[in-house]
Structure formats: C-alpha cells, structure tokens
Amino acid sequence: MREPVEVRRQRILAAVESRGSARVSDLAAELEVSVVTVRRDVEELAQEGRLRRGHGVVRSTLAARDIPAPRPPDGDTVAVVVPERHHYLYESLHGARSVLEASGRRIALHIAPQVAGAERPLVERALEDGAAGLLLAPRWRTLADEEADHPWLAALEVPAVLMERRPGAGTALHAMDSVCSDHVHGAHLAVEHLVGLGHRRIVFATRDDSPTARTLRSACARIAEAHPLVEAWAWTLSAPEAGQEGPYATEETAELHEVLRKTGATAAVLHGDVDALMLVQRLADHGVRVPEDCSVVAYDDVVAGLGTTPLTAVAPPKADVGRAAAELLLERLDSETAGRTPVRRVELLPSLSVRGSTAPTDASRRMSV
C-alpha cells in the first residue's frame, strides 16, 4: 500500500529533526523507498526551507533558525500525531481529516519515528506553533513506554483525544478522552465464527508490541479459556519482531505450523494482516493448506482480502475511530460546550468479513450431510 507523498515527507522531516541530521541512504532504507524518491522529497523540503541539504546528508533547520516564542492557540489548527509506518492508524487519520477539514480547521500532521518518547517533542513543537487541540495515537510498544508518557500527557493544557489508545483505570490518563475499537468484541467475533464452523482447537498468533496487540492477546486468551466448546488453545508470536515485552516461553515463539501440529488445532487467528499473509505463505511451505487443513481469520483487514486466498478478517472501524475522535475534539474546542460534558471513553464495534480462508471442519461437514 503506497502512502501519500505528504505523509512520507512528514516522516522524513520528523526523522531528521529528531536526530539533527541523517544520511539519504539511511532514510531510504527506513522508509522502504528508493534513494531517488528520498532525494526528490528532500529537494522539495529544502526548497520550502524545512531541511538543509548536504552531500548525501540531510540536516535539520531547527538549530539554524531562531525558534519562535510559544504563542497562544489560534483556535484554527489541530495537531495530529501518529506513528510512522502504521497504515492501520493512517486510516484513522483520514477519517479524522474528513471531519476537521469540513469544520474549517487546519491540520498539522506530525509523524513520530519508531523510538520511545518520540511523540513528546512533536507535541511540544505543535503547541509552540499554536495548535488549539491534539489527536494522538502514541506507538507505546511496551507498557513502560506508555507509563513514561502519562505525566506530560496528563499535564496538557489544550483539549486532546487519544485514538485507539486507552490507558488503564487508575492511571494518570484515566480521565483523558479516548476513542477506540472494542478489540474484545473483535476477538469474540473471530472465535465464534471458527467455533460455528466446528473448530474446537484454535491457535492465536498475535503481535505483542502495541496497546491493541496486548489487548487482543489478552482477549483471545480469556475468551478461549472460558468458551465451553473450545477444547484446546495456544498462543504464539505472529513474527519474531512482533514482541517487545518478553521474555517468552519456547512454545510462544515457535513456528505456527509446529504449534498447530502440537495442539491438533484446525484454526488460527492471526494479527495483523501482513503477518497473517506471511504466516499463510509459510504454512503452505510446510504443506498446510488454507482452509482445507487450517481455517484462518486475520485481524485488522487492511490488506487481508488481497492474498492468493483472501483472508476472512475482523475489521476494526479504523476510519470511524478517527471521525469520532475528531468530532469529540471539536466539541471540546467549541467555546459554548467546552467543560460542560463529562470525559468520554468511546468504543466502536469491529465487524467480520467472511472470505475464502475459513471453512467447516470435516466433522461438521459430515454432520450436515
């Protein structure tokens, strides 16, 4: 999926400003585009005065210019902070954009590099530039990353809404507005679909490096453990780089085909789409056919339907999350309603799209004959 040019250039700008300077070749590798593409982007950014070019090196202009003194919010600009390389949240961004632009607000997009704490300097810069409100989706790869952000987020003096992020009860951010997908319901949809097809042994292969991933892992475990028709279940990482919390038991990092064989599972729930498509390819390499030998449900539904075998998938309402978050923020920014409504924690329900990767088990097919 090709990302918009402006999003890519914002990622370049954020990476350079966070480091002071960067090599063009390194930026190309990080963004997974050609060096020619980065050079073209850098040329445009340099002409706009946002970067300084050198021989194969790009430098930030922040150190070379006087930073303007903070000014009060102008009431017109909303800053949106999302992680780089996160197509899931880019859909939420587009949902928010439609609402904000319709309201006449200007959007200041900030792309946070893949390092802990990258959001704070971007937010501070946005506030210095006069942002009246914030839409935030911190990466929070670990619980420690999340907890480290609580103090400064709780101290924000402008309205802010979290997208697809919900801190736990009793934390410093418990009273912060948020809009999320109900991932517990999403896990329930996946399990009930598979159980309804006759599957009684299920493997969950999920990520473990974001709040969504950790919520999904926990929900799958609770639902499978309590379900009267699930005879056995197991969990494993969807990819070696998908886990940050560790350490993990050997069986929690085993290849999916090995876990399926060990548990006798006939179905799997895989998070997210790219990991799911790659896992299905690896299953084929080991002679496991989808859906004949193993039914698969993906979780995210960004590109799940594009596989050789289109994957049945749970689809969180990504764009709707962005729209709802933007509407809530606009309400907070409205001088007539500001402070009159309680803090809101909005949950939107995912849906299930059934495609070719799930099928009844042999036993259930025989019973239906």
Side-chain angles (χ1 to χ4, degrees):
M1 182 182 297
R2 181 178 299 174
E3 66 181 355
V5 173
E6 184 56 30
V7 170
R8 186 177 65 243
R9 290 177 181 173
Q10 285 286 351
R11 288 171 60 191
I12 292 173
L13 194 62
V16 174
E17 290 185 351
S18 67
R19 305 168 197 171
S21 65
R23 293 190 302 176
V24 170
S25 58
D26 291 341
L27 291 171
E30 292 175 19
L31 273 62
E32 298 179 344
V33 297
S34 69
V35 170
V36 172
T37 296
V38 173
R39 284 176 180 162
R40 184 166 56 245
D41 289 340
V42 167
E43 176 70 26
E44 290 294 327
L45 291 169
Q47 289 181 4
E48 295 171 8
R50 302 164 77 184
L51 292 176
R52 291 183 297 150
R53 290 183 299 134
H55 184 64
V57 177
V58 190
R59 294 182 175 84
S60 171
T61 61
L62 290 180
R65 68 173 185 259
D66 293 328
I67 302 299
R71 63 178 186 266
D74 56 21
D76 180 57
T77 301
V78 169
V80 183
V81 182
V82 294
E84 67 170 324
R85 300 186 191 177
H86 206 307
H87 296 296
Y88 178 112
L89 286 171
Y90 289 169
E91 291 196 29
S92 297
L93 162 65
H94 292 310
R97 176 183 178 182
S98 65
V99 172
L100 294 173
E101 289 184 344
S103 74
R105 303 277 177 171
R106 190 178 76 83
I107 301 170
L109 178 62
H110 298 267
I111 308 297
Q114 297 188 53
V115 293
E119 290 80 10
R120 183 172 183 175
L122 297 178
V123 169
E124 291 174 346
R125 186 175 302 123
L127 296 179
E128 289 174 353
D129 289 341
L134 302 164
L135 291 178
L136 303 165
R139 185 176 293 276
W140 287 345
R141 298 177 76 95
T142 68
L143 288 173
D145 291 344
E146 178 178 340
E147 292 167 357
D149 280 348
H150 284 185
W152 69 267
L153 283 172
L156 289 173
E157 296 182 355
V158 300
V161 179
L162 292 171
M163 297 189 299
E164 286 292 15
R165 301 291 182 259
R166 177 159 299 156
T171 67
L173 301 188
H174 180 60
M176 190 172 184
D177 286 318
S178 64
V179 179
C180 293
S181 301
D182 184 346
H183 296 297
V184 175
H185 180 71
H188 174 79
L189 289 176
V191 173
E192 287 299 331
H193 174 64
L194 294 171
V195 169
L197 293 173
H199 299 282
R200 299 294 181 261
R201 294 172 176 263
I202 304 172
V203 170
F204 303 102
T206 75
R207 304 189 67 85
D208 198 25
D209 59 356
S210 73
T212 295
R214 291 187 287 274
T215 297
L216 185 60
R217 175 187 176 181
S218 175
C220 288
R222 292 199 310 271
I223 292 168
E225 190 67 32
H227 203 295
L229 296 180
V230 175
E231 298 173 0
W233 67 274
W235 176 83
T236 188
L237 279 176
S238 58
E241 69 278 6
Q244 296 291 321
E245 294 293 350
Y248 303 99
T250 301
E251 60 271 17
E252 294 178 332
T253 58
E255 289 282 348
L256 180 59
H257 70 278
E258 297 175 353
V259 183
L260 290 170
R261 176 181 52 78
K262 185 175 180 178
T263 59
T266 58
V269 178
L270 310 180
H271 175 230
D273 282 2
V274 173
D275 287 345
L277 291 169
M278 295 180 67
L279 285 168
V280 168
Q281 291 171 186
R282 291 207 292 272
L283 288 178
D285 292 339
H286 290 88
V288 180
R289 301 169 300 168
V290 174
E292 293 85 354
D293 303 320
C294 178
S295 284
V296 169
V297 177
Y299 198 98
D300 275 357
D301 205 18
V302 176
V303 294
L306 302 181
T308 302
T309 299
L311 302 183
T312 293
V314 174
K318 299 170 280 292
D320 289 312
V321 165
R323 281 190 284 268
E327 289 168 356
L328 177 52
L329 182 62
L330 290 177
E331 185 173 339
R332 295 292 184 217
L333 292 171
D334 188 333
S335 59
E336 295 183 2
T337 60
R340 294 187 182 180
T341 56
V343 172
R344 295 183 187 175
R345 308 179 75 186
V346 181
E347 282 193 332
L348 305 180
L349 298 186
S351 59
L352 179 73
S353 295
V354 178
R355 303 189 181 101
S357 65
T358 53
T361 62
D362 289 339
S364 61
R365 281 195 291 266
R366 288 194 297 269
M367 290 178 63
S368 64
V369 173

